[in-house]
Amino acid sequence: SVLDWNTPAIDFYESFGARPQSEWTTYRLTGQALLDFAAG
């Protein structure tokens, strides 16, 4: 996994033929939403 702003890492992976996956979407649960989720 590489953050979209991490150009050196992206360049590293692409240098040997790796390509990004378009099938994946990442989600983050933080703050009150995380607390609500943990509380059930």
Side-chain angles (χ1 to χ4, degrees):
S1 294
V2 175
L3 294 170
D4 60 1
W5 54 260
N6 192 342
T7 305
I10 293 169
D11 291 344
F12 168 75
Y13 285 115
E14 289 184 349
S15 73
F16 53 84
R19 294 294 172 249
Q21 295 179 313
S22 61
E23 307 87 22
W24 288 78
T25 302
T26 56
Y27 290 86
R28 179 176 296 164
L29 193 58
T30 61
Q32 191 61 50
L34 178 58
L35 294 172
D36 294 345
F37 177 77

